[in-house]
Amino acid sequence: VQEKEELIEEWQPEPLVPPVPKDHPALNYNVVSGPPTHIITVNGKECVNFASFNFLGLLDNEKVKSAAQASLKKYGVGTCGPRGFYGTFDVHLELEERLAKFMRTEEAIIYSYGFATIASAIPAYSKRGDIVFVDEAACFAIQKGLQASRSNIKLFKHNDMADLERLLKEQETEDQKNPRKARVTRRFIVVEGLYMNTGDICPLPELIKLKYKYKVRIFLEESLSFGVLGEHGRGVTEHFGINIDDIDLISANMENSLASIGGFCCGRSFIIDHQRLSGQGYCFSASLPPLLAAAAIEALNIMEDNPEIFQTLRSKCERIHKALQG
Amino acid sequence: LNHVVHNGGLYKRPFNEAFEETPMLVAVLTYVGYGVLTLFGYLRDFMRQWKIEKCQNATEREEQKDFVPLYQDFENFYNRNLYMRIRDSWNRPICSVPGAKVDMMERVSHDYNWTFTYTGKVLKGIINMGSYNYLGFAQKAGTCQEAAAKVLSQYGAGVCSTRQEMGNLDKHEELEKLVARFLGVESAMAYGMGFATNSMNIPALVGKGCLILSDELNHASLVLGARLSGATIRIFKHNNMQSLEKLLKDAIVHGQPRTRRPWKKILILVEGIYSMEGSIVRLPEVIALKKKYKSYLYLDEAHSIGALGPSGRGVVEYFGLNPEDVDVMMGTFTKSFGAAGGYIGGKKELIDYLRTYSHSAVYATSLSPPVVEQIITSMKCIMGEDGTTVGKARVQQLAENTRYFRRRLKEMGFIIYGNEDSPVVPLMLYMPAKIGAFGREMLKRNIGVVVVGFPATPIIESRARFCLSAAHTKEMLDTALKEINDVGDLLQLKYSRHRLVPNLDRPFDETTYEETED
């Protein structure tokens, strides 16, 4: 016992956090006063905003704001509960229906935070022992979702379909050695529509071919491409003209084009309904404040009524790309 | 089993927590109930497989029938056969502000809960005992709502950027200074989602080579954060200080499992109020242990901030302790402040480190401006800085409501878990059929309650959980109590064998503590 007391006396832990140097670049944030729209006041100076994800310019749209005001007058700010315990409002149900109709899928499910959407969706389906093929340049939220799922991760080179096919073939030979295990191991490919880290679009038609050849399911993360690509803004599936039922799960966040907060997943009921009981960010967290859901519904209305904004956005992008490339 | 303290000196007030044992007959009948349900489940699955009964489940696409099945049949057994039968007790849609009374959309099911249709009728004025509205800030009019409306028209609803990029508004800085002042700590940082606060910041604080000691009944967000960090996790029995001390001693003496090297850091994860049990953490003892064994304490005050303590500052004030003793004070704004989001408060070095290294600051969007304004206004109201005594009155009203409600329920003879001062009141139901019956009977009588069963609770300990609010008036509580009494008689829920004599207020003195039997 004497020894134990001595050991306890002697043990010194590390400090809880290491000290951060005062001039660390990430320590002192830029302070934005006023709304972070196209003209933004940073640290007192007025600038043109090329840094926010406000792709369709809906952040300071008057119609969106008045819809949110109406919702605020009716419901207050917070929902005071998760979806299961009196936190489901009629606005949430309406937003889910509208999103499902817009994306032409059976069902949609809403999360209260964009990051948590894909980070809760992946572990709901992929468990320990399953295999996930994911692109090297996948965003951080996908990486966290994969880490939480404890599955086997196989990375393939960014947008390189030959590399992915090589990995799939290797997996096939593995399967033939142990067919019993192969029958219960689920396989997924996780890709993004428009990659946050590189700005490329994923080659979706080739992915669909690989999906049916090797029997893997596809999860598509469309945070940046929702409301940007495609004739009506439905994302990369519309951009390539692919049947949306071929993608098992589409996940996106509403914090970019829709200028609100939160995220959603859409797909067939067979797949989406499972998340209502096993999506951690859905079951164990408070639901989205109704004013943000109302703002998202109004933004969707604007997107549906004015499909020419996508063409405007595209022409501006092409102009900037051409000008920068010289 | 009445819990009392043997380190009487650490506690400045009586700590009355009780978890009455499950009566033997009730436990047996509950197991029998689950057994019968399982048998019927197998029978129905058999009938569905042989097409005698129509399968109502959604199914896989024709083109993908030869893919590896997405769900294993066994995983969904509980879902199909037990949860489906009582599914109407959850996800009830409401269409008004979630205050003391709420309007619910009526829904019916013609095929035993497989699908729901909305009749279009709205059930008005249902007493809301399910929302986490502890201080009654879920309001659609008033100073908070007006301030939020002004900020909404000025800033818009979204932010479209992360904290480290263009998402750090002046409103966020104002909020963080206010939160630090409210808690009595040096500095604070706010995040967009309470769940994400835990799951993204615990990995920033600990990593491989560190040890996490986590309470048995911690919330899913704490468990996820601990798992994502990569540290070793050890679980101690719920609120049991002997178990925690044993783990701490073993950890320091024996070191890491295989290499025997000393641990880099030890982090203790506890919550202020545990929402399923209604128990309050034994904070004075935890802090004493933490100081003795030089570990760090992470306190999750999701339910206790605003709800405990004479001025609503949480469990630290409730016990009369120093906020600087808790290394990481985490909490959420969803429950007592009527908004959304989470915060972490602590020393300046800690918050500076989190500003640079937290995953949330780098990759996730910041809080929406009207939500921030709601938090600022409600926090100022609680602190009394808006010039009124509304905040203080609400905190006191909540404490009175809690004591009154719990006392009356215990007198009626129900088994109530948890601490006397916790506004979360679990009432034991035990049997699976009573879960659905209780929810439905109370709704018929215009009272909305929350019922929970497996897997959120152990399989035989299903319960109904009441969340009290400062917005509940005494008349509402009396109506609710009368209906609970009637339903309790109807469903035979009065299991308690320790019938309490109605309370005569006794003055606090040392002799109210008994010694535990070792």
Side-chain angles (χ1 to χ4, degrees):
Chain A
V1 175
Q2 176 76 2
E3 253 179 38
K4 287 193 178 174
E5 293 293 333
E6 276 175 16
L7 281 170
I8 295 177
E9 276 295 313
E10 284 171 4
W11 179 67
Q12 281 301 334
E14 281 179 8
L16 180 58
V17 288
V20 176
K22 275 206 175 8
D23 52 357
H24 194 290
L27 181 55
N28 301 310
Y29 296 154
N30 297 318
V31 180
V32 174
S33 19
T37 53
H38 296 307
I39 305 287
I40 189 173
T41 316
V42 182
N43 293 337
K45 214 163 118 187
E46 239 187 48
C47 312
V48 180
N49 188 358
F50 279 104
S52 300
F53 293 133
N54 187 10
F55 299 132
L56 299 176
L58 294 173
L59 192 66
D60 56 348
N61 186 304
E62 280 312 315
K63 284 210 293 199
V64 169
K65 279 197 215 173
S66 54
Q69 291 276 13
S71 172
L72 178 59
K73 281 200 181 59
K74 188 174 174 200
Y75 298 108
V77 176
T79 55
C80 297
R83 286 293 289 263
F85 303 151
Y86 302 101
T88 304
F89 284 56
D90 46 357
V91 260
H92 296 136
L93 298 173
E94 193 188 332
L95 180 56
E96 285 181 358
E97 261 179 57
R98 291 293 304 277
L99 282 168
K101 214 168 75 168
F102 180 73
M103 295 294 285
R104 293 188 239 163
T105 57
E106 275 180 14
E107 202 174 326
I109 181 175
I110 297 185
Y111 285 81
S112 56
Y113 203 46
F115 189 96
T117 312
I118 191 68
S120 306
I122 295 180
Y125 301 103
S126 179
K127 314 273 183 204
R128 200 193 285 269
D130 295 332
I131 304 175
V132 184
F133 300 94
V134 67
D135 193 298
E136 260 177 0
C139 71
F140 192 73
I142 296 182
Q143 290 172 20
K144 285 293 132 189
L146 292 171
Q147 196 183 349
S149 72
R150 296 197 258 214
S151 318
N152 297 333
I153 315 294
K154 301 213 178 332
L155 297 166
F156 62 90
K157 293 204 191 56
H158 178 54
N159 268 353
D160 187 346
M161 291 299 108
D163 199 32
L164 175 57
E165 184 145 19
R166 176 183 62 86
L167 285 173
L168 286 166
K169 276 211 178 68
E170 276 173 20
Q171 184 57 39
E172 214 181 10
T173 40
E174 281 286 324
D175 287 344
Q176 276 156 2
K177 288 185 205 148
N178 193 345
R180 220 189 208 175
K181 185 165 151 215
R183 257 200 301 260
V184 288
T185 315
R186 294 172 276 240
R187 291 137 232 257
F188 303 96
I189 297 180
V190 179
V191 282
E192 289 183 50
L194 191 62
Y195 285 91
M196 166 99 72
N197 289 332
T198 61
D200 298 323
I201 301 182
C202 73
L204 203 52
E206 283 92 40
L207 278 167
I208 302 284
K209 285 203 204 90
L210 286 175
K211 166 185 166 161
Y212 285 109
K213 189 167 167 199
Y214 293 96
K215 314 236 182 307
V216 262
R217 297 174 197 268
I218 299 192
F219 285 176
L220 187 58
E221 218 278 324
E222 289 222 68
S223 292
L224 291 178
S225 51
F226 178 78
V228 169
L229 294 178
E231 198 189 320
H232 297 277
R234 294 199 176 97
V236 73
T237 48
E238 200 182 26
H239 182 81
F240 285 115
I242 290 177
N243 180 8
I244 198 137
D245 281 336
D246 278 333
I247 310 287
D248 294 89
L249 178 84
I250 296 187
S251 150
N253 73 22
M254 306 195 283
E255 293 161 2
N256 302 331
S257 308
L258 282 178
S260 180
I261 303 272
F264 69 92
C265 288
C266 59
R268 295 184 67 241
S269 293
F270 174 69
I271 306 211
I272 299 296
D273 212 43
H274 180 70
Q275 280 181 50
R276 292 198 196 271
L277 281 181
S278 46
Q280 293 228 315
Y282 181 83
C283 303
F284 296 113
S285 179
S287 46
L288 185 65
L291 67 98
L292 296 169
I297 295 180
E298 194 56 38
L300 254 187
N301 287 343
I302 295 178
M303 274 170 68
E304 283 180 353
D305 293 336
N306 309 337
E308 63 275 1
I309 48 177
F310 305 113
Q311 189 51 42
T312 322
L313 178 64
R314 204 163 309 133
S315 53
K316 289 192 183 166
C317 292
E318 284 171 4
R319 207 172 125 195
I320 295 267
H321 271 272
K322 223 183 279 184
L324 285 175
Q325 277 169 347
Chain B
L1 181 66
N2 260 329
H3 247 176
V4 284
V5 191
H6 47 263
N7 312 359
L10 284 175
Y11 287 79
K12 301 187 181 78
R13 55 188 299 159
F15 186 86
N16 291 325
E17 209 162 84
F19 297 94
E20 191 174 326
E21 238 178 69
T22 316
M24 178 57 86
L25 178 62
V26 174
V28 168
L29 285 176
T30 311
Y31 280 123
V32 168
Y34 276 109
V36 168
L37 278 170
T38 317
L39 275 177
F40 268 94
Y42 280 128
L43 176 66
R44 299 292 281 272
D45 275 348
F46 179 75
M47 283 169 45
R48 274 190 276 261
Q49 200 184 4
W50 288 96
K51 308 275 194 289
I52 305 174
E53 182 182 323
K54 190 168 78 130
C55 187
Q56 310 247 19
N57 260 340
T59 47
E60 181 67 272
R61 277 174 86 202
E62 272 309 315
E63 297 91 330
Q64 290 180 217
K65 276 257 154 51
D66 52 348
F67 280 43
V68 176
L70 194 53
Y71 315 119
Q72 288 176 318
D73 275 340
F74 179 69
E75 265 170 33
N76 279 358
F77 182 84
Y78 179 79
N79 193 356
R80 276 194 307 273
N81 298 306
L82 276 74
Y83 173 73
M84 259 319 158
R85 292 170 185 268
I86 48 177
R87 194 159 83 112
D88 57 317
S89 315
W90 294 290
N91 292 306
R92 290 182 175 160
I94 66 179
C95 48
S96 76
V97 68
K101 287 205 173 170
V102 76
D103 298 336
M104 210 180 286
M105 288 163 66
E106 195 187 27
R107 55 179 188 172
V108 289
S109 174
H110 301 288
D111 48 2
Y112 300 102
N113 287 348
W114 284 97
T115 55
F116 289 111
T117 40
Y118 295 100
T119 61
K121 199 169 105 169
V122 170
L123 304 167
K124 286 198 185 293
I126 298 193
I127 298 182
N128 184 359
M129 309 231 54
S131 292
Y132 302 139
N133 182 19
Y134 297 132
L135 291 179
F137 279 109
Q139 293 168 307
K140 62 181 181 182
T143 39
C144 298
Q145 185 265 344
E146 281 161 19
K150 236 172 57 180
V151 168
L152 175 58
S153 56
Q154 195 191 352
Y155 285 83
V159 184
C160 299
S161 188
T162 67
R163 264 329 263 288
Q164 283 193 352
E165 295 171 6
M166 289 294 137
N168 184 37
L169 308 175
D170 45 2
K171 280 275 158 213
H172 293 127
E173 307 252 312
E174 189 188 333
L175 171 68
E176 289 176 355
K177 290 200 185 64
L178 184 64
V179 170
R181 221 152 29 93
F182 181 77
L183 296 171
V185 292
E186 279 178 19
S187 178
M189 184 166 176
Y191 302 94
M193 186 192 192
F195 187 98
T197 311
N198 279 331
S199 60
M200 294 204 259
N201 289 308
I202 298 182
L205 295 174
V206 289
K208 263 198 157 61
C210 305
L211 176 66
I212 292 184
L213 297 176
S214 150
D215 188 293
E216 208 179 350
L217 299 176
N218 267 341
H219 189 252
S221 55
L222 288 166
V223 173
L224 183 62
R227 269 184 40 208
L228 286 177
S229 68
T232 316
I233 308 175
R234 295 206 179 134
I235 317 262
F236 62 92
K237 292 204 185 42
H238 177 58
N239 234 358
N240 187 327
M241 296 300 113
Q242 286 89 345
S243 172
L244 176 58
E245 182 158 18
K246 182 169 175 312
L247 282 181
L248 278 166
K249 260 203 200 121
D250 285 345
I252 302 183
V253 164
H254 296 293
Q256 297 191 26
R258 277 178 300 252
T259 57
R260 297 291 185 176
R261 260 180 282 187
W263 294 103
K264 289 197 211 153
K265 293 180 240 197
I266 301 184
L267 185 67
I268 305 177
L269 296 181
V270 287
E271 289 186 41
I273 293 185
Y274 292 90
S275 59
M276 282 301 153
E277 303 285 313
S279 51
I280 300 182
V281 67
R282 294 171 174 282
L283 199 57
E285 292 180 65
V286 175
I287 290 189
L289 281 175
K290 164 197 106 95
K291 286 186 177 152
K292 182 173 171 195
Y293 293 96
K294 293 178 267 198
S295 42
Y296 301 110
L297 179 59
Y298 185 106
L299 176 65
D300 178 344
E301 289 208 79
H303 286 268
S304 52
I305 191 77
L308 286 182
S311 63
R313 309 290 166 109
V315 70
V316 171
E317 194 196 23
Y318 174 75
F319 286 114
L321 298 166
N322 186 354
E324 294 188 8
D325 282 335
V326 179
D327 301 287
V328 189
M329 289 183 73
M330 177 265 169
T332 62
F333 298 119
T334 336
K335 281 109 189 168
S336 302
F337 301 98
Y343 67 84
I344 290 196
K347 292 213 163 45
K348 193 164 177 316
E349 298 92 55
L350 170 70
I351 301 297
D352 281 346
Y353 181 80
L354 286 177
R355 279 192 213 282
T356 30
Y357 289 98
S358 158
H359 301 166
S360 171
V362 184
Y363 295 106
T365 330
S366 32
L367 279 162
S368 159
V371 173
V372 172
E373 188 60 27
Q374 160 83 10
I375 303 169
I376 292 179
T377 340
S378 57
M379 205 175 261
K380 285 199 176 136
C381 180
I382 298 177
M383 284 162 63
E385 284 184 10
D386 61 340
T388 67
T389 50
V390 169
K392 204 159 171 60
R394 287 186 189 198
V395 175
Q396 276 171 348
Q397 177 73 28
L398 177 65
E400 273 172 36
N401 283 355
T402 311
R403 275 194 292 268
Y404 177 65
F405 197 77
R406 276 180 170 268
R407 182 169 60 81
R408 286 287 306 275
L409 280 179
K410 286 211 185 97
E411 281 169 14
M412 287 181 198
F414 295 102
I415 297 187
I416 306 289
Y417 271 13
N419 195 305
E420 247 179 35
D421 288 316
S422 119
V424 177
V425 186
L427 186 152
M428 302 310 288
L429 299 171
Y430 298 114
M431 302 193 196
K434 296 191 186 182
I435 306 175
F438 191 79
R440 290 173 193 151
E441 289 296 320
M442 292 303 285
L443 189 59
K444 273 195 221 153
R445 292 166 169 76
N446 260 0
I447 304 193
V449 296
V450 161
V451 288
V452 266
F454 185 77
T457 61
I459 192 148
I460 59 167
E461 290 176 16
S462 10
R463 58 200 73 177
R465 192 183 69 177
F466 302 105
C467 288
L468 295 165
S469 163
H472 286 137
T473 59
K474 195 154 181 305
E475 292 76 43
M476 285 186 214
L477 289 183
D478 285 331
T479 323
L481 283 164
K482 180 176 158 311
E483 304 295 354
I484 296 174
N485 199 5
D486 290 341
V487 174
D489 284 328
L490 176 68
L491 297 177
Q492 295 183 2
L493 291 171
K494 298 187 178 173
Y495 301 120
S496 177
R497 289 170 301 191
H498 304 281
R499 297 211 162 242
L500 289 179
V501 178
N503 215 351
L504 312 147
D505 278 316
R506 288 190 306 209
F508 166 69
D509 63 299
E510 289 293 325
T511 57
T512 53
Y513 293 139
E514 305 158 11
E515 291 296 314
T516 47
E517 297 147 328
D518 264 337

